[in-house]
Amino acid sequence: MAKISVFGIGYVGVVSAACLARDGHQVIAVDVDPGKIKSINAGLTPIVENGLDELIENAVKAGKLEATSDVQYAIDNTEVSFIAVGTPSAPDGSVGLVYVTDVCENIGKALANKDAFHSVVIRSTIVPGSCETACIPTLEEFSGKKAGVDFGMGYYPEFLRESTAIEDYYDPGLIVFGAMDEGTARILTDINKDLPCDINVVDLRTAEMVKYCSNTWRAVKVTYANEIGNIAKACGLDGQKVMEILTSDTKAIVSKYFMRPGFAFGGSCLPKDVRALRHLAREKGIKAHLLEATLEANEAQIQRAEQMVMESGANKVGFVGVAFKAGTDDLRESPLATLAGRLIEKGIEVSIYDPYVQEAYDSHTPGAGRGNDVIPNLQGRIVADLDGMINDAGALVVGNVYENTVERLSEAAKTRKVVDLTRFSKELTSDGTYEGICW
């Protein structure tokens, strides 16, 4: 069992402290509010949350939980400190770090007087890079010690929902944390090891980013549901009924298939259906902000890829894949075809390796090249020799993954410009010669 101090007796801090104490850890809650301190030491909850009053009462009676305003006492009597103070928006909309850095300053001063190794773990919601640019420098300045060497450092976001926080704590959908040192990683792993969820150990910035992605994704889902509800009502339909049926589809709607960063969406369904629903909304006098933004963002992703290719300076570009996805010869509204067409218009010589489109032409399928209205002389640009195309091209655009291409493309990425729109190998990240569109 660990000895843990929790700084900030707000919603996240007090729930975390109570649950940690229930699990057998020795917990000291720290705050500047004497009312909250008095409440906890009396075995009472300072906030309203289902089941929390009983947890705190039992933890205090068992001697597992106490509260104080004495920072030095908390640091001296624990081995790890969780910072769970608020990060309200600054006037310009940026994350407000003043409470976090104030606590870091106080902890840093206390660490200066402690010889034993101590870990500091941020639980507050902070944007990627905040630990490195604000928290760590503050701790190092006031402690005179080095993060990851003289004291431990980690970022461990919470995903607790008000009114179901205790349930969420013990049945999490996601556990992720970043740690600079093995000691901090070990403590956080031990705290979570018995929970029914995979533990993701990453770097500090990735953990910070995951927290923001989780919260903003929830906001996007609420906005989407509201937008669909508004359109449905304008059509005389029950928006909640529509969404209840939609979300019963766990194969596509709730799956991770479409949550993979990469290139723009295309094909015979998604582009036209988003446009059609947007048009219906306009007819009904409904402002479909999210649908409008979806089409704008999709076009922007194509433009982003175009810019990446143009910046390579290549006059000859080889495409690996041109159909809207691998495994088909369908070019209807393929963003890869759109990209190729735009490059051709700019005078760039484009050749294409796509085994499925080639198969359609070779077998004289009546629908060969179906959906293409942007690439001139498509059949003449199709090549069967991948190695020849790689050697001849100044840059390569990888739009679809074909198993037989991965090894050769990985080798090519060492010597020539490769713009990867799909991520044919998870071993590669942008490094100059190789450039992924989202990684």
Side-chain angles (χ1 to χ4, degrees), residues 233-274:
K233 181 182 178 181
C235 295
L237 304 173
D238 183 339
Q240 287 202 348
K241 185 64 175 178
V242 170
M243 291 305 293
E244 285 172 8
I245 296 171
L246 182 71
T247 54
S248 69
D249 176 6
T250 58
K251 184 176 181 180
I253 300 302
V254 191
S255 79
K256 61 183 180 181
Y257 182 81
F258 296 98
M259 297 292 290
R260 185 173 177 268
F263 199 33
F265 62 77
S268 60
C269 297
L270 300 188
K272 76 176 183 64
D273 291 345
V274 176

Side-chain angles (χ1 to χ4, degrees), residues 50-68:
N50 291 333
L52 187 60
D53 48 357
E54 183 180 357
L55 281 190
I56 291 179
E57 180 183 4
N58 292 339
V60 172
K61 284 182 179 178
K64 292 294 184 181
L65 174 64
E66 64 176 303
T68 183

Side-chain angles (χ1 to χ4, degrees), residues 115-402:
D115 294 330
F117 190 84
H118 191 97
S119 293
V120 180
V121 177
I122 312 295
R123 299 217 70 187
S124 303
T125 302
I126 53 179
V127 297
S130 298
C131 276
E132 297 172 0
T133 61
C135 302
I136 291 174
T138 302
L139 287 163
E140 290 183 334
E141 177 185 354
F142 288 94
S143 69
K145 298 180 178 181
K146 186 171 180 58
V149 178
D150 303 314
F151 66 90
M153 188 71 206
Y155 181 71
Y156 170 37
E158 52 78 28
F159 301 95
L160 307 178
R161 298 169 297 170
E162 293 193 37
S163 80
T164 60
I166 296 172
E167 295 174 31
D168 292 342
Y169 186 93
Y170 288 107
D171 187 18
L174 173 64
I175 295 174
V176 61
F177 62 78
M180 292 182 67
D181 54 283
E182 292 184 5
T184 302
R186 184 170 56 253
I187 290 173
L188 293 176
T189 299
D190 287 344
I191 287 172
N192 290 289
K193 64 184 172 125
D194 295 326
L195 296 176
C197 187
D198 291 339
I199 298 175
N200 298 279
V201 184
V202 295
D203 59 277
L204 297 175
R205 289 189 176 215
T206 298
E208 291 168 327
M209 186 65 175
V210 169
K211 170 59 177 176
Y212 268 88
C213 290
S214 175
N215 282 4
T216 53
W217 176 229
R218 298 178 202 195
V220 169
K221 288 195 289 185
V222 171
T223 302
Y224 179 73
N226 289 341
E227 197 159 286
I228 294 301
N230 294 340
I231 298 171
K233 181 182 178 181
C235 295
L237 304 173
D238 183 339
Q240 287 202 348
K241 185 64 175 178
V242 170
M243 291 305 293
E244 285 172 8
I245 296 171
L246 182 71
T247 54
S248 69
D249 176 6
T250 58
K251 184 176 181 180
I253 300 302
V254 191
S255 79
K256 61 183 180 181
Y257 182 81
F258 296 98
M259 297 292 290
R260 185 173 177 268
F263 199 33
F265 62 77
S268 60
C269 297
L270 300 188
K272 76 176 183 64
D273 291 345
V274 176
R275 287 195 299 268
L277 191 57
R278 178 186 64 175
H279 182 75
L280 176 62
R282 288 174 176 177
E283 281 188 330
K284 298 296 183 180
I286 301 298
K287 290 186 177 181
H289 304 278
L290 196 58
L291 296 179
E292 297 281 1
T294 297
L295 292 170
E296 291 174 7
N298 205 52
E299 167 58 27
Q301 197 73 340
I302 299 175
Q303 293 177 6
R304 178 181 175 84
E306 182 180 352
Q307 182 179 354
M308 291 168 65
V309 177
M310 294 304 297
E311 288 176 351
S312 73
N315 295 317
K316 293 183 178 181
V317 175
F319 272 65
V320 179
V322 72
F324 87 95
K325 69 176 183 178
T328 179
D329 66 324
D330 195 346
L331 286 94
R332 284 177 291 179
E333 299 212 43
S334 166
L336 291 170
T338 299
L339 175 60
R342 292 180 184 179
L343 295 176
I344 292 168
E345 286 182 355
K346 292 186 175 182
I348 294 174
E349 185 178 330
V350 171
S351 35
I352 300 166
Y353 175 87
D354 190 313
Y356 294 92
V357 175
Q358 181 183 355
E359 180 183 346
Y361 278 117
D362 289 349
S363 61
H364 304 289
T365 301
R370 60 189 172 123
N372 172 49
D373 56 2
V374 291
I375 302 178
N377 187 26
L378 172 60
Q379 184 174 3
R381 298 178 187 277
I382 300 293
V383 298
D385 182 4
L386 175 62
D387 291 327
M389 186 183 79
I390 290 174
N391 292 331
D392 193 44
L396 297 168
V397 173
V398 184
N400 291 327
V401 179
Y402 307 108

Side-chain angles (χ1 to χ4, degrees), residues 92-112:
D92 63 355
S94 63
V95 61
L97 294 175
V98 61
Y99 298 139
V100 175
T101 53
D102 282 350
V103 174
C104 286
E105 178 180 335
N106 291 330
I107 290 177
K109 291 176 180 177
L111 288 177

